[in-house]
Amino acid sequence: MMHGTAATVVLLRDSADGLQVLLLERPRHRGSFAGAWVFPGGLVDPQDAHGGNASGADADDDVELAAARRAGVRETAEETGLALAAPDLVRLSRWVPPPEAPRRYRTEFFLAKAPAGEVVLSPDEHVASAWLTPSEAFRRQREGTMDLVPPTWVTLHGLLHHNTVAEALEAAAAAAPETFATRQLSGREPLVMVWAGDAEYPDAAPPETAGRSDPARRHRLVLGTGGWSYQRSR
């Protein structure tokens, strides 16, 4: 059962070291994603739904997406003090938690160029912030000083090959937003998360044909203790 919709905003800036993203550290002893470093974002509130005038069966997604954009703008301001406008947000992806997750929120991910200004954290939401290149975030995770959750990790991985904000935004605007409906493979050590396109994805095909056409196809994240590995067939 889906409990609602959320929005996540990946703020980007150019630096001498390359493309950087803003990551925020959650409190370690309370709230969702305790201790993890995440992007700004949160749940879509009733106030975010106001202003949607589309109607009809095909318009529901447009209304929901518009509400998610407004939520992304509002949450970014509340959590960082940085002001965005809805048109600043470029849609990147949609994340759907696995069925066994205790609370399931469909989350829209957006990219945005960070506006000028200092980051001012909400003390109720986060305890620290850092502007980092994706590679530096991965280095810190491998060292055990930064906790990343799979959606954050995969999003950072997708930004590795972009050198500038303009390049990342242009690529996102030109591509169709991807849906990551996560499934966890049971009985695996280390833990394996899979998405559509993987031969072992539960809904990849009818049971009698699943995986037979190309059993080597991969779209997964392997969460090994010595480092995570994102595997994707092209």
Side-chain angles (χ1 to χ4, degrees), residues 180-204:
F180 291 81
T182 304
R183 296 298 184 91
Q184 179 179 322
L185 296 183
S186 61
R188 299 298 181 91
E189 183 61 39
L191 185 67
V192 179
M193 300 287 191
V194 296
W195 297 284
D198 194 284
E200 294 188 78
Y201 189 73
D203 298 333

Side-chain angles (χ1 to χ4, degrees), residues 115-174:
E118 294 295 321
V119 174
V120 180
L121 296 178
S122 169
D124 294 333
E125 297 283 347
H126 302 98
V127 298
S129 66
W131 286 101
L132 301 173
T133 63
S135 59
E136 173 61 16
F138 290 157
R139 185 188 70 80
R140 295 188 184 191
Q141 186 203 32
R142 289 193 299 271
E143 291 182 345
T145 60
M146 176 167 280
D147 183 16
L148 301 174
V149 294
T152 304
W153 198 100
V154 173
T155 301
L156 289 171
H157 186 276
L159 293 170
L160 277 172
H161 64 283
H162 295 307
N163 297 313
T164 66
V165 172
E167 185 180 310
L169 293 177
E170 182 179 359

Side-chain angles (χ1 to χ4, degrees), residues 9-62:
V9 180
V10 185
L11 290 173
L12 309 174
R13 76 176 186 183
D14 293 316
S15 77
D17 296 325
L19 179 69
Q20 291 184 327
V21 301
L22 180 63
L23 290 166
L24 310 177
E25 185 181 17
R26 295 284 296 151
R28 290 195 171 274
H29 303 296
R30 63 181 177 83
S32 58
F33 304 117
W37 287 78
V38 298
F39 307 118
L43 297 180
V44 174
D45 288 345
Q47 69 194 68
D48 301 316
H50 298 326
N53 296 318
S55 61
D58 295 335
D60 290 342
D61 282 347
D62 294 337

